[in-house]
Amino acid sequence: MGPLMSIALVIGTMVGAGIFFLPSSLAPLGWNSTLGWLISGAGALCLAMTFRYLMDGTGEGVQHNVERVIGEMPAFIGIFAYWIIGFTSISALSLMGGSILADLLFNTQSQQVSVTFALILLWALVGVNLRGVRSVGSVQVITVLIKLIPLVLVAGVFVGAVAGGADIQQMAPAEVNLNNISVAVALTLFPLLGFEAASIPVAKIRNPKRNIPLAMIGGPGLVLTLYILATTAMVLLVPWQDTAGSTSPFSDFLGGYFGPVTGTLMAVCILISVTGCNNGLILLGTECSYGMALRKEMPQLFARTNAYGISHWGVIAIGVGCTLLILANLSRGLTGMFEFLVLMTSGGALVFYLTGALAAVKENRKMARWPLLAIGILFIGYATYGTGLETSAWILVVLAFGLAMRWLCRRSAASEKMPAAG
């Protein structure tokens, strides 16, 4: 993948479905929501720079550099956590896509219909990924161009309205305090996950020393700018109560400017956004399992590749794992499933970010970098607090399983190298 596909991978992984529903949750928080975006955005960009420092000049991914600086065990913990959140995030977004399809085709929010469509979408993307990284990259470029349309439209309306002297609405009268800001930070974290996407499939990115930093800094910078403009526009151009009460804020906002047919078009754009995000996440998860298998930390079937150069068993494992995860959580209902999977995704991502940040701190020898590194570490701690105790407990259970699997795989590999007795 060249620079365009690398940037598309980052943007496509960051912009999923959450941002299109987030304005309703942020509207009652008033100016706290803007502060939440700024804090989350600053934290994400500092972490992106932290990863860039760690990888600087090596041409290798985060796991290799964490392993080089602080050891194999922390590197495995970080990349295994990242692999696991691929399952939770893909499952959550598949459910969102299935729900949108059910509403578009049958005007129903039946759990059974939504789950059926979710599994169809999931396995269609498994098929795309089995055809290799070029296939994945092409889908990413196309879906990114489409998924940015709603964000660009809303941002454009906002800039035009302000330039034209439009009346500005009052923000919600929520007190600006630490508690409300922490709620806003927790809400804005999930849509920013994915800035590190280009640091995973390093071997499949052309000229990684140039293209990975370009994608990791340029992609999040563009996305964060559009996020802030779009979400702020909805509470400054229409009464905040209307945005807070909307189940589809982007559709309602643009429908007021461009007509009711916009609602259907918006649903299609969001569906494409979900599809593109999942497409990239499946590739990232496959690369994680492939890398761990090469290090003898996972079963060796994940190190095998097909004619397209992709770890086909890694792709299939994601399809099977996500299917089981969705079916195992049916009792929670659609909303409960989505919330649980989102929290698990955020918690696992923070483990990955922490290992990379600690490695960058240990290796750093330049005074000018310390402020960014410190902000990144503080942000990880603050965000971890926001995910809650239950999520942390589940993450620890999953990591314990991963360490047991690694021990068994390493033990098996060592026994195969031992000479036969006699």
Side-chain angles (χ1 to χ4, degrees):
M1 294 189 290
L4 180 60
M5 286 188 177
S6 301
I7 293 174
L9 179 63
V10 171
I11 296 176
T13 305
M14 291 183 70
V15 183
I19 183 59
F20 296 112
F21 298 92
L22 197 57
S24 298
S25 301
L26 292 175
L29 294 173
W31 287 108
N32 293 283
S33 63
T34 302
L35 292 174
W37 276 121
L38 293 175
I39 293 172
S40 293
L45 289 174
C46 285
L47 288 174
M49 288 299 298
T50 297
F51 281 22
R52 189 240 183 272
Y53 296 154
L54 179 63
M55 300 165 62
D56 195 17
T58 66
E60 297 287 349
V62 172
Q63 184 185 11
H64 173 87
N65 284 287
V66 171
E67 184 178 286
R68 173 178 59 83
V69 178
I70 59 177
E72 292 184 355
M73 188 67 73
F76 171 77
I77 289 173
I79 204 67
F80 184 79
Y82 198 81
W83 181 61
I84 289 297
I85 68 169
F87 288 86
T88 56
S89 186
I90 291 165
S91 299
L93 292 174
S94 295
L95 286 169
M96 180 66 70
S99 179
I100 293 171
L101 260 182
D103 189 51
L104 281 174
L105 298 179
F106 297 104
N107 195 27
T108 178
Q109 286 297 322
S110 164
Q111 177 173 296
Q112 184 177 359
V113 175
S114 296
V115 168
T116 300
F117 278 128
L119 296 178
I120 291 172
L121 286 173
L122 169 64
W123 283 96
L125 291 175
V126 166
V128 170
N129 274 262
L130 286 173
R131 292 189 61 83
V133 69
R134 291 293 300 179
S135 175
V136 174
S138 298
V139 171
Q140 282 301 96
V141 172
I142 295 170
T143 57
V144 161
L145 293 175
I146 296 173
K147 74 170 60 182
L148 289 181
I149 290 174
L151 292 169
V152 171
L153 278 177
V154 173
V157 168
F158 178 55
V159 172
V162 171
D167 293 334
I168 300 300
Q169 301 291 324
Q170 292 291 323
M171 295 283 265
E175 182 182 353
V176 177
N177 56 39
L178 189 61
N179 183 58
N180 285 334
I181 293 173
S182 66
V183 172
V185 170
L187 288 171
T188 53
L189 172 62
F190 183 68
L192 291 172
L193 299 179
F195 62 83
E196 72 294 329
S199 71
I200 305 299
V202 175
K204 294 179 171 60
I205 293 180
R206 189 166 60 247
N207 193 1
K209 291 183 181 180
R210 182 196 66 180
N211 291 334
I212 291 177
L214 179 65
M216 286 178 60
I217 305 303
L222 172 63
V223 169
L224 179 61
T225 301
L226 290 175
Y227 279 178
I228 293 175
L229 284 174
T231 54
T232 303
M234 293 188 191
V235 291
L236 289 182
L237 296 183
V238 298
W240 69 267
Q241 297 92 334
D242 294 347
T243 301
S246 174
T247 57
S248 185
F250 273 76
S251 298
D252 293 342
F253 180 86
L254 290 173
Y257 285 90
F258 302 110
V261 76
T262 306
T264 300
L265 294 176
M266 280 298 307
V268 173
C269 285
I270 295 171
L271 178 61
I272 292 172
S273 176
V274 170
T275 303
C277 187
N278 265 356
N279 182 60
L281 288 173
I282 293 174
L283 171 65
L284 297 182
T286 302
E287 288 299 303
C288 288
S289 60
Y290 178 69
M292 286 186 284
L294 291 179
R295 290 173 169 81
K296 313 296 183 184
E297 296 172 331
M298 287 192 77
Q300 289 305 289
L301 79 162
F302 291 105
R304 302 172 188 169
T305 57
N306 63 12
Y308 297 99
I310 201 78
S311 172
H312 50 289
W313 285 113
V315 176
I316 293 170
I318 289 174
V320 173
C322 291
T323 298
L324 294 176
L325 191 57
I326 290 171
L327 296 178
N329 285 278
L330 286 176
S331 60
R332 294 177 181 266
L334 288 175
T335 301
M337 277 191 283
F338 188 77
E339 291 177 354
F340 172 74
L341 295 169
V342 164
L343 286 174
M344 285 292 292
T345 300
S346 298
L350 290 168
V351 174
F352 176 73
Y353 296 158
L354 180 61
T355 58
L358 291 176
V361 166
K362 182 177 180 180
E363 191 175 49
N364 183 52
R365 298 292 183 272
K366 297 182 179 180
M367 289 295 297
R369 294 179 175 179
W370 283 116
L372 286 175
L373 295 174
I375 292 172
I377 293 287
L378 290 173
F379 176 72
I380 291 170
Y382 188 56
T384 300
Y385 170 77
T387 59
L389 183 60
E390 181 184 2
T391 299
S392 298
W394 274 110
I395 294 296
L396 289 175
V397 170
V398 170
L399 291 179
F401 169 79
L403 290 171
M405 179 193 66
R406 179 180 185 270
W407 179 78
L408 289 172
C409 291
R410 284 290 177 92
R411 183 181 180 185
S412 175
S415 65
E416 290 176 1
K417 292 180 180 179
M418 293 178 62

